[in-house]
Amino acid sequence: MTDQRVLLAVSTVIFTVRPTGENGCHELWLPLVRRIRDPYRGMWALPGGPLRSNEALEDSALRDLTLTTGLTPTHLEQLATFGGLTRSAAAEERQVTVVYWASLPPQEAAMGENDINVTWLRATDLPDLAFDHSDIVTHALDRLRKRIAEPTVAQAFLPEAFTIAALREVHEAIIGDPLDPANFRRHVLSSGQLEDTGERLEGTRHRPPKLYRFASAKPSTLFSHPTSDRTEETS
């Protein structure tokens, strides 16, 4: 259709980390919303909607996330623009979508809206999604994995003070593989990326592990991941 109207929309892939894998391994989860109108009625889709004429792109992403999931992300970053000629073939308008990726700490994600039209699913085990949203999620996962050495990626999922074990769990969730705790600890402590807060995590059964924060003057990369068997650590 040569005179098809073009609609500009904003969608967001919002991730959190949960200990739902084998032996408590952490995995990436994301919220999806059920479409209640055509096209793709009844299918799951990413949170999003049309861009209002008086609204900034980031404000649109935040508004739709709040309306659909009741959540406000701790990190929001523009990812890519999707506007293929066939991506909206089932719709009356051609839709060009600006996509953001966002993150939430697990405790924040647990506070999301309880709605029959909103669900949380593993990012690596999704059904077919509406439009090209399956491709968008794949693109977001690929981007996170390629950027995992950048401090801002892991930091997006963590509180200001965190244990090295928590940092490792975020990396494991993103890359989808277990990491050797001893090697991981050695690499991150030698990277110059972390500062010891002088405090320890309370309420643990064993020796309370140290709490760290990201250094104010951050190196460009954290480290390159070795692969190894997973064991537990307490400091």
Side-chain angles (χ1 to χ4, degrees), residues 15-32:
F15 294 111
T16 194
V17 174
R18 292 179 174 175
T20 52
E22 186 176 355
N23 298 320
C25 184
H26 284 64
E27 300 175 306
L28 286 178
W29 287 65
L30 77 166
L32 298 169

Side-chain angles (χ1 to χ4, degrees), residues 7-22:
L7 176 69
L8 184 61
V10 178
S11 295
T12 305
V13 187
I14 181 166
F15 294 111
T16 194
V17 174
R18 292 179 174 175
T20 52
E22 186 176 355

Side-chain angles (χ1 to χ4, degrees), residues 47-235:
L51 177 69
R52 295 175 179 175
S53 61
N54 61 345
E55 194 171 39
L57 290 169
E58 186 171 310
D59 291 340
S60 177
L62 289 170
R63 174 178 55 81
D64 284 318
L65 282 173
T66 301
L67 286 174
T68 56
T69 68
L71 301 172
T72 302
T74 54
H75 180 86
L76 185 68
E77 181 181 335
Q78 193 171 133
L79 176 68
T81 300
F82 288 76
L85 292 175
T86 61
R87 71 181 301 265
S88 309
E92 294 181 359
E93 308 93 353
R94 177 189 174 189
Q95 189 174 90
V96 176
T97 300
V98 179
V99 179
Y100 282 79
W101 80 268
S103 63
L104 279 172
Q107 64 273 19
E108 295 291 332
M111 299 169 59
E113 296 288 345
N114 183 16
D115 191 306
I116 62 172
N117 289 319
V118 178
T119 188
W120 284 82
L121 297 174
R122 287 180 179 84
T124 56
D125 187 23
L126 299 177
D128 289 337
L129 304 182
F131 300 102
D132 55 354
H133 290 189
S134 295
D135 294 335
I136 291 175
V137 173
T138 298
H139 182 82
L141 287 171
D142 288 344
R143 180 66 63 86
L144 285 188
R145 289 164 181 162
K146 289 176 180 177
R147 293 182 53 198
I148 187 59
E150 298 177 22
T152 53
V153 175
Q155 187 177 16
F157 294 89
L158 293 165
E160 183 177 354
F162 50 86
T163 64
I164 290 180
L167 177 61
R168 173 171 51 81
E169 288 163 354
V170 169
H171 281 245
E172 289 175 334
I174 292 174
I175 66 175
D177 286 311
L179 299 170
D180 178 71
N183 286 341
F184 184 89
R185 178 182 177 82
R186 182 172 63 253
H187 277 287
V188 297
L189 290 181
S190 64
S191 70
Q193 178 62 64
L194 302 182
E195 296 177 343
D196 189 339
T197 65
E199 301 177 350
R200 290 181 177 270
L201 180 66
E202 300 298 332
T204 59
R205 296 177 57 185
H206 305 289
R207 183 189 178 197
K210 291 182 179 180
L211 289 171
Y212 294 84
R213 58 175 168 254
F214 285 100
S216 54
K218 300 172 183 175
S220 58
T221 60
L222 190 56
F223 69 100
S224 298
H225 286 290
T227 57
S228 175
D229 293 336
R230 176 186 174 93
T231 56
E232 201 52 53
E233 66 173 308
T234 60
S235 63

